[in-house]
Amino acid sequence: MDIVKYPDPVLRRGGKPVEAFDASLADTAAKMIEAMYRFGGVGLAAPQVGLELALLVLNPSGDPDKKAEELVMLNPKVLSRKTLEWGEEGCLSFPGIYGDVERHAKISVRYDDLQGEEQVIQAEGFLARVILHEMDHIEGVLFVDRLSPVDRLRVKSRLLEMERAYKAPA
Ligand code: CO
């Protein structure tokens, strides 16, 4: 499983609701977790592997030995949000590009787990940031869309470079 880079249009298509909680879904999630670790990330959303699904995986530690911190979320919806905070983000679809994004630091999110059971998580700080970043991917929103004006200007030439280097799949 490989990771789709900006400006591949699949990143703008977002993800559709997941309805079949079957073995193939569990297999896809496992492969995404493996790819997330392999590329040194803390989160990955299905559009980043070319799949239009409301599916995301994360581990805020980025440490494959800390399985207890892994989360697989299907069909996530924010129930409540408060306290905006700025923090630095990167994204596996934008290698080497980092910048400050303002996000809610205290959130409550409902989602389905791999068994199709509804779950609710309260998340704060970095975990909340990772969840919201990955949920954006499911809406086709990218962290560069939310950069501070200063960082937007700072990464502009890097983004143009990626756009020039991009070759649409034949
Ligand atoms: Co990302």
Side-chain angles (χ1 to χ4, degrees):
M1 190 175 266
D2 217 340
I3 291 181
V4 169
K5 307 287 190 332
Y6 177 83
D8 192 307
V10 75
L11 293 172
R12 292 299 186 186
R13 279 181 215 137
K16 299 185 177 76
V18 173
E19 279 155 12
F21 298 89
D22 54 15
S24 119
L25 180 70
D27 182 58
T28 299
K31 286 184 172 133
M32 284 173 60
I33 289 172
E34 187 275 324
M36 171 181 80
Y37 291 136
R38 184 157 37 92
F39 290 95
V42 294
L44 191 62
Q48 292 181 279
V49 295
L51 301 172
E52 289 179 56
L53 290 173
L55 156 62
L56 61 89
V57 303
L58 59 92
N59 181 335
S61 75
D63 182 345
D65 293 330
K66 295 187 177 160
K67 294 273 171 226
E69 293 188 44
E70 282 174 8
L71 265 176
V72 176
M73 304 171 85
L74 295 312
N75 309 323
K77 288 261 178 327
V78 174
L79 300 175
S80 71
R81 58 188 99 211
K82 51 185 177 181
T83 322
L84 282 164
E85 270 178 14
W86 287 92
E88 189 178 66
E89 295 186 14
C91 180
L92 292 178
S93 296
F94 295 81
I97 296 180
Y98 300 90
D100 287 341
V101 176
E102 191 179 37
R103 302 223 188 244
H104 287 94
K106 285 189 177 182
I107 55 171
S108 167
V109 177
R110 64 80 52 207
Y111 64 98
D112 299 313
D113 65 19
L114 281 171
Q115 284 72 45
E117 300 287 332
E118 181 164 318
Q119 307 287 344
V120 175
I121 184 172
Q122 323 288 335
E124 293 191 17
F126 188 64
L127 175 60
R129 179 170 296 279
V130 177
I131 291 171
L132 292 173
H133 175 118
E134 301 312 331
M135 285 182 69
D136 265 356
H137 278 295
I138 289 170
E139 303 299 325
V141 175
L142 302 171
F143 88 111
V144 293
D145 303 337
R146 297 192 185 273
L147 287 177
S148 67
V150 168
D151 281 351
R152 190 182 302 254
L153 209 59
R154 192 173 51 76
V155 306
K156 197 176 171 187
S157 64
R158 296 291 314 279
L159 294 181
L160 282 171
E161 257 172 55
M162 290 187 81
E163 286 163 20
R164 269 189 235 111
Y166 176 75
K167 285 184 187 63

